[in-house]
Amino acid sequence: MSNVLVIGPESDAERAITEAAFDPLYSPSLADAAQLSEAERGAITAIAYRGHHAFGGAEMDLFPALGLIANFGVGYDAIDTVAASARDVRVTNTPDVLNDDVADLTVLMLLAHERQYEGASRWVRDGNWSSQGAYPLGRKVSGRKVGILGLGRIGRDIADRLAAFNSEIHYFARSQKDTPGWQFHSDPVSLAQSVDYLIVALVGGPDTQNFVSKAVIDALGPNGVLVNISRGSTVDEGALLDALEANTLGGAALDVFLNEPHIDPRFLALDNVSFQPHQGSATVETRAAMAQLQRDNVSAFTTGQALLTPVN
């Protein structure tokens, strides 16, 4: 009987590699995993988790021999690490391997939003260029003031990329960082007041819930643009929608939302928002690297080796 369980979808290629390595059990979701037989659940010592639904103590207790939850993704806010530690369950994630793609998409989203890429593309496809002439002007991105809310690994990579656009970089972090002259702000409202673009690169979880508050959104103002590539929970979504509808915020470019993929329909009526369907790490190369790091953590655990990327 297998001692490894994979929860969530894998591509055919990744599944073949995982099967060769572990001969695991598979379950499409955490809820489906709960329906495994008591004997099957009792044999599981490691779970490769590819989901966003809450994985709390009650779910962990369904697997009495569980010792590892290897998360697929750098963000592990769906997993209750306090409950895991109390049960002597280790948690790992997949940091660093996705930094480039998330940072690249952030810059793409900002450029596409300000240069109105989606609307301009439709203008050509719909025949309006030939029938109605030039598309309305966009906004310049280079040389603007950019605020990074959360200067961790990903935030730093975003800032480095935008520095190449001659941006004036401002940032908020828990402590001041060693930077090439970037301006530190000790609170997010001060950061938002000082910049044209506010990029949210925070970790998810209860400590950052609604960190981008109404006060932060108001401080960014009617000419400011909010870019969120972190988690939907980091932004007060109701306040964001109110500001976008009232044009008291200039715009937003969003890769993440509350209740994904069932986003608030108010967003769909707005023309000052650009969307991506949580695509930050969604390239063939990066997803393969994330899957390998997840497997490497499972392999390390099952062979008694040190975990590569522990979080508790």
Side-chain angles (χ1 to χ4, degrees):
M1 191 173 294
S2 179
N3 65 340
V4 175
L5 171 64
V6 177
I7 298 179
E10 278 190 314
S11 68
D12 291 342
E14 293 298 340
R15 183 163 182 152
I17 299 170
T18 304
E19 286 181 348
F22 307 115
D23 190 25
L25 291 175
Y26 284 91
S27 182
S29 70
L30 192 52
D32 289 302
Q35 302 308 311
L36 294 171
S37 71
E38 184 175 351
E40 288 172 322
R41 288 186 282 106
I44 297 300
T45 61
I47 293 177
Y49 189 52
R50 290 169 167 252
H52 295 291
H53 291 93
F55 200 144
E59 289 75 22
M60 296 173 201
D61 289 342
L62 295 170
F63 307 93
L66 183 63
L68 174 72
I69 302 171
N71 188 58
F72 184 78
V74 65
Y76 52 89
D77 44 297
I79 300 170
D80 187 338
T81 56
V82 173
S85 295
R87 291 162 173 79
D88 200 24
V89 174
R90 303 297 302 279
V91 178
T92 61
N93 65 341
T94 59
D96 295 324
V97 295
L98 49 68
N99 295 3
D100 280 341
D101 277 345
V102 175
D104 288 351
L105 183 68
T106 303
V107 176
L108 170 63
M109 289 170 61
L110 178 57
L111 287 168
H113 181 83
E114 289 292 80
R115 296 301 297 270
Q116 301 182 39
Y117 180 89
E118 183 179 4
S121 181
R122 285 199 310 269
W123 191 258
V124 177
R125 290 182 182 278
D126 294 344
N128 293 328
W129 190 18
S130 59
S131 64
Q132 299 184 45
Y135 188 75
L137 298 177
R139 298 292 302 273
K140 183 178 180 179
V141 172
S142 295
R144 307 293 288 278
K145 297 177 180 179
V146 177
I148 310 294
L149 190 58
L151 199 72
R153 297 183 183 97
I154 291 173
R156 181 64 188 244
D157 280 357
I158 294 168
D160 285 339
R161 282 160 171 74
L162 288 170
F165 285 76
N166 296 318
S167 302
E168 181 181 305
I169 305 295
H170 298 241
Y171 71 96
F172 167 89
R174 285 176 292 184
S175 60
Q176 194 162 353
K177 308 289 185 178
D178 181 15
T179 68
W182 300 344
Q183 185 169 334
F184 172 69
H185 294 259
S186 60
D187 76 90
V189 172
S190 169
L191 177 66
Q193 286 173 334
S194 303
V195 299
D196 303 301
Y197 306 131
L198 182 64
I199 296 172
V200 187
L202 298 165
V203 298
D207 290 343
T208 59
Q209 186 168 3
N210 291 341
F211 202 82
V212 181
S213 62
K214 182 181 185 299
V216 174
I217 293 166
D218 289 345
L220 189 54
N223 295 315
V225 175
L226 178 74
V227 182
N228 190 7
I229 50 82
S230 59
R231 286 286 190 266
S233 61
T234 62
V235 175
D236 184 335
E237 198 166 270
L240 174 62
L241 281 161
D242 289 344
L244 290 166
E245 289 170 344
N247 292 312
T248 56
L249 178 67
L254 307 172
D255 185 45
V256 290
F257 305 85
L258 294 178
N259 305 314
E260 298 172 2
H262 307 292
I263 72 171
D264 193 312
R266 291 169 64 189
F267 279 118
L268 304 181
L270 295 167
D271 59 8
N272 54 353
V273 187
S274 301
F275 304 106
Q276 283 286 296
H278 204 150
Q279 291 281 86
S281 64
T283 67
V284 172
E285 296 82 1
T286 289
R287 290 293 170 84
M290 292 166 62
Q292 186 59 56
L293 182 50
Q294 184 184 46
R295 283 192 297 270
D296 288 346
N297 274 305
V298 173
S299 179
F301 176 80
T302 57
T303 58
Q305 305 300 310
L307 299 173
L308 282 74
T309 53
V311 299
N312 71 336

